[in-house]
Amino acid sequence: MWSGTVSGVQIVVHSHSEGDWTVLTVAGELDVVGAPDLRQSVMDAVKTGRHRLVLDLSGVDFIDSFGLGVLVGALKRVRLLDGDLMVIVPEPRVRRVLEVCDLDRVFTIHRSLADAMATLS
Amino acid sequence: MEIEFRPGQLVLEIPARTEFVSLVRVVVAAAAELEPDLEHDRIDDLRVAVSEATTNAIEAHGLSGSLDRIRIQCNLADDEISVVVHDEGVGFDPASVPDLPEPESPDRLEHESGLGVHLMQMLADESEITSSEDGTDVTLVVYSSKRRRRSSST
């Protein structure tokens, strides 16, 4: 038998601009622990008038329903403000979770930030 | 957290705290790796399903104020791995989980939560939720590739 303790794993979110768009680059696991931090980052961006968001999940290797909930909430918020949202998902295992919930038909998903930006030019 | 190994079985007991969910995923995935005929993408499916079940169990304990531990039991068989997540929190009626609207429906964006049960059902080969006011058992079964081939040919 093994006994021990563990500390929570957090995510890291960085923000930068690409033209009219604000890119939130996310690294970590989007689960019950990590997802609330991304929700807060989205709310902070929207509150400061940035309604065209790219969520770059290139550094995310795990997502569950909590992460999906944050993505759905983000899309709902920016649409209410006539904004838009793109999601970058290169990792097949993350993409599969979105596909299982048919969210690949709800979101505009790209495999890289360069692909996403190319669609705007 | 406590981990107990027995032949063909691994049992974890965790405090009902969310910071333990990621560790449960790691340990269950490591147990699944012992099954040589289980493909990596199926182990990824199991990780997500177990994450959902464990998080739900922790939330159920939070709602009931229970300080008991959550129990996660992995049973390794020749052609499948089954995981039972047991909690003693407030139960729920699985039938009360609303169906998801079509992706094209504007109402789809009203469903920020409630995707967990759907994910468990879609990602596991078998899933069962048994719930009462005394607690909930979620059973998730993922087949080996050999068994999936056998199932699809019958």
Side-chain angles (χ1 to χ4, degrees), chain B residues 96-127:
Chain B
S96 68
V97 178
D99 291 334
L100 292 173
E102 287 298 309
E104 293 77 13
S105 165
D107 291 343
R108 189 68 174 77
L109 296 184
E110 301 303 321
H111 289 255
E112 291 182 46
S113 60
L115 297 170
V117 171
H118 178 75
L119 273 174
M120 286 190 284
Q121 290 171 339
M122 294 297 288
L123 294 174
D125 291 303
E126 296 175 28
S127 66

Side-chain angles (χ1 to χ4, degrees), chain A residues 10-31:
Chain A
Q10 301 294 320
I11 63 162
V12 179
V13 183
H14 289 297
S15 172
H16 74 276
S17 296
E18 291 274 353
D20 294 341
W21 293 74
T22 297
V23 182
L24 299 179
T25 306
V26 189
E29 297 185 316
L30 284 178
D31 65 356

